[in-house]
Amino acid sequence: MADKDPIQPFPRAHEDVHASRRQAPTPQTLSPSYRLAFADDELMLTDELRGVRLMLEYLKPELELRAHGVKSTVVVFGSTQIGDPESPVVRARRRPAVDRDYYGVARSFAARLSECSRGDGELECVIMTGGGPGIMEAANRGAADAGGKSIGLNIVLPKEQVPNPYITPELTFQFHYFALRKLHFLLRAKALVAFPGGFGTLDELFEALTLLQTRRIKPMPVLLFGESFWRRIVDFDAMVEIGVIAPEDAKLIRYVESVDEAVAIVRTGGGCGP
């Protein structure tokens, strides 16, 4: 069962904030210095409190995931530009020149893995994405198709990123710091599955590979969907040949083409279901 109820305000602190706001306005009570420190937005946004903000971005998702019984995740990365080919909006815009419907593949893969994330209580291998459109939407959608829960880790960007509508609402989070978002991507991960993508996908993939190479995280399957794309974008064999990575480092990844193959690997190597 879940450890406890979702985060609730500490009763006395909550009451104190309201009591403070009800006080008669005087030059003293209106002064910024009089605000309760933890309720002072201007204070919380100063450079000096960056460490506190980092701690909060770790703690809020951590406490909520514990409260909802999320024990492990399967992380899905991929392009925001690879959308549902049946969507009129997607058909109307210029689409990436990929060789197959990766949106449909990601959706099917997530649906197949979501048997363990149905209902309440302890949830294993919950689909986790960056919460945006494209491949992320497809994975969250697949989990919803199967009646499972899924997680979205959105981040504030110059171009507004809206959470896709398929994430489980109570498992939808928003981050300011990329570093804390990356931490939560890998903290509970039993497998990482990357579909074709751009800088963000590559950044997240190489972050995970570096941590696996240096043994800072436990071994897990790292699957790259679409061998032709990945071999064109990243030449891991050349990196081995030149000597900048070891032969065993290249074995951290596996290329996959089919949902059946990917699901079998994640279930065996990640321990996700029968």
Side-chain angles (χ1 to χ4, degrees):
M1 295 297 293
D3 296 334
K4 55 185 177 180
D5 293 334
I7 299 169
Q8 299 294 331
F10 184 60
R12 182 58 185 272
H14 190 63
E15 293 165 6
D16 285 353
V17 171
H18 286 290
S20 178
R21 290 172 179 169
R22 288 196 302 268
Q23 290 179 337
T26 69
Q28 290 75 30
T29 62
L30 293 174
S31 172
S33 64
Y34 188 71
R35 297 173 193 155
L36 288 165
F38 58 81
D40 187 340
D41 290 342
E42 290 182 12
L43 173 67
M44 289 296 294
L45 295 175
T46 60
D47 287 346
E48 290 79 4
L49 265 69
R50 182 175 289 112
V52 175
R53 296 196 300 275
L54 286 162
M55 181 178 68
L56 289 172
E57 284 213 343
Y58 163 70
L59 280 174
K60 182 177 179 179
E62 176 65 17
L63 293 174
E64 291 287 2
L65 291 171
R66 288 185 194 178
H68 288 92
V70 177
K71 298 299 181 183
S72 64
T73 60
V74 173
V75 182
V76 179
F77 296 137
S79 175
T80 62
Q81 303 303 308
I82 300 176
D84 181 2
E86 300 303 316
S87 164
V89 174
V90 172
R91 287 202 301 266
R93 73 172 188 235
R94 184 174 179 270
R95 288 178 284 167
V98 291
D99 57 359
R100 62 190 297 195
D101 173 18
Y102 284 110
Y103 183 99
V105 175
R107 181 178 176 183
S108 178
F109 169 77
R112 290 276 301 277
L113 274 183
S114 290
E115 290 87 352
C116 297
S117 61
R118 294 187 182 129
D120 298 313
E122 294 189 356
L123 304 178
E124 297 283 358
C125 300
V126 182
I127 294 295
M128 175 182 276
T129 79
I135 293 297
M136 296 176 282
E137 176 188 290
N140 292 122
R141 186 175 181 179
D145 291 342
K149 295 183 178 181
S150 70
I151 303 162
L153 305 186
N154 288 75
I155 190 158
V156 178
L157 298 172
K159 183 179 180 181
E160 183 179 6
Q161 186 195 65
V162 178
N164 73 66
Y166 303 103
I167 311 165
T168 302
E170 61 269 24
L171 298 177
T172 307
F173 303 98
Q174 183 174 210
F175 290 81
H176 173 75
Y177 295 105
F178 272 98
L180 271 296
R181 183 179 185 237
K182 289 177 178 180
L183 171 66
H184 281 290
F185 272 136
L186 296 175
L187 202 56
R188 289 172 168 79
K190 283 195 171 181
L192 188 158
V193 182
F195 287 80
F199 286 166
T201 301
L202 291 168
D203 174 51
E204 290 150 351
L205 171 64
F206 277 98
E207 182 90 24
L209 290 175
T210 300
L211 293 172
L212 287 166
Q213 179 197 47
T214 56
R215 301 183 183 179
R216 300 307 300 268
I217 57 176
K218 294 179 180 179
M220 72 176 81
V222 177
L223 308 185
L224 305 185
F225 254 102
E227 184 172 359
S228 61
F229 170 85
W230 288 105
R231 287 196 179 277
R232 183 179 176 187
I233 300 301
V234 186
D235 195 335
F236 291 103
D237 292 336
M239 294 173 76
V240 173
E241 182 180 343
I242 294 166
V244 292
I245 64 172
E248 56 267 25
D249 294 334
K251 295 177 182 178
L252 292 171
I253 63 167
R254 294 183 66 171
Y255 300 105
V256 292
E257 301 296 339
S258 73
V259 170
D260 286 345
E261 181 185 12
V263 168
I265 294 170
V266 172
R267 284 181 171 168
T268 302
C272 292

